[in-house]
Amino acid sequence: MANREALRDLQSRLASRLQAARTEGVQASWLAVESAGAKYLFPLAQSGEIFPFASAQPVPYTQAWFLGVANLRGGLYGVVDLAGFVAGRAPAMRSDATRAESRLVALNAMLEVNCALLIDRLAGLRSLDAFSSSSEPPEGSPGYFGSGYTDANGAYWQEINLQALSQQPQFLSISA
């Protein structure tokens, strides 16, 4: 019951911020998320619906970062642990508090990949105005990493191009 209320509260806050952005003329560009302590930005045009995470049905003989499949609003989606995929290892164990805030962010239907990314926490919407500086992706970073941004508090946010991610051979090859 508390999860439903928290989700309604989150949806209400996001809806009010989107409405404020429309009326003020400020365009939100990214969905800000956190996963395993890292901060990421998903382009809104490439992001889909956000779901609470309960569990996924495990699929045998798959990569450790592929958590299984879940029924999300009647659609079957593969669930990928974002932090595990980026790090190339098995997902870390989540505490009960972290699990309560965990969400699944589905990829936009236009990307034609029924996949949802497990993240630890939603951090809201961000526009370019929220950042004090930007930089190129770090040397040797994956091809789906976009620019990096530093906010006014000095926190580093890494943009993830979900379209490029959805086309990566290692992302599409879930078999172990």
Side-chain angles (χ1 to χ4, degrees):
M1 189 67 142
N3 285 342
R4 269 192 196 158
E5 290 174 11
L7 183 58
R8 279 191 200 123
D9 182 45
L10 173 68
Q11 288 174 333
S12 174
R13 285 190 316 230
L14 285 175
S16 65
R17 288 189 66 188
L18 278 171
Q19 183 60 35
R22 283 188 200 114
T23 59
E24 295 171 5
V26 176
Q27 184 67 20
S29 301
W30 296 287
L31 175 65
V33 302
E34 295 178 15
S35 191
K39 299 174 184 309
Y40 298 108
L41 299 169
F42 297 160
L44 281 180
Q46 298 171 4
S47 302
E49 197 167 349
I50 300 168
F51 300 94
F53 179 65
S55 66
Q57 186 65 33
V59 176
Y61 308 112
T62 58
Q63 298 287 340
W65 45 261
F66 187 77
L67 301 178
V69 293
N71 181 347
L72 304 175
R73 283 198 198 249
L76 195 59
Y77 287 78
V79 178
V80 172
D81 182 275
L82 178 64
F85 178 77
V86 170
R89 58 175 164 69
M93 294 299 295
R94 288 177 165 78
S95 67
D96 289 339
T98 302
R99 190 171 290 138
E101 288 191 67
S102 294
R103 298 287 181 262
L104 294 175
V105 178
L107 301 185
N108 193 305
M110 73 171 194
L111 300 178
E112 298 180 347
V113 177
N114 280 7
C115 179
L117 302 173
L118 175 64
I119 53 106
D120 292 339
R121 190 175 87 77
L122 291 171
L125 300 173
R126 299 288 191 276
S127 66
L128 195 54
D129 297 341
F131 301 102
S132 58
S133 65
S134 65
S135 60
E136 292 295 316
E139 187 70 32
S141 63
Y144 53 86
F145 272 17
S147 298
Y149 297 89
T150 305
D151 65 17
N153 297 328
Y156 181 79
W157 294 82
Q158 178 62 59
E159 181 182 19
I160 293 184
N161 182 326
L162 297 178
Q163 183 173 12
L165 175 67
S166 71
Q167 297 170 358
Q168 292 288 312
Q170 58 269 45
F171 185 78
L172 297 172
S173 301
I174 62 168
S175 62

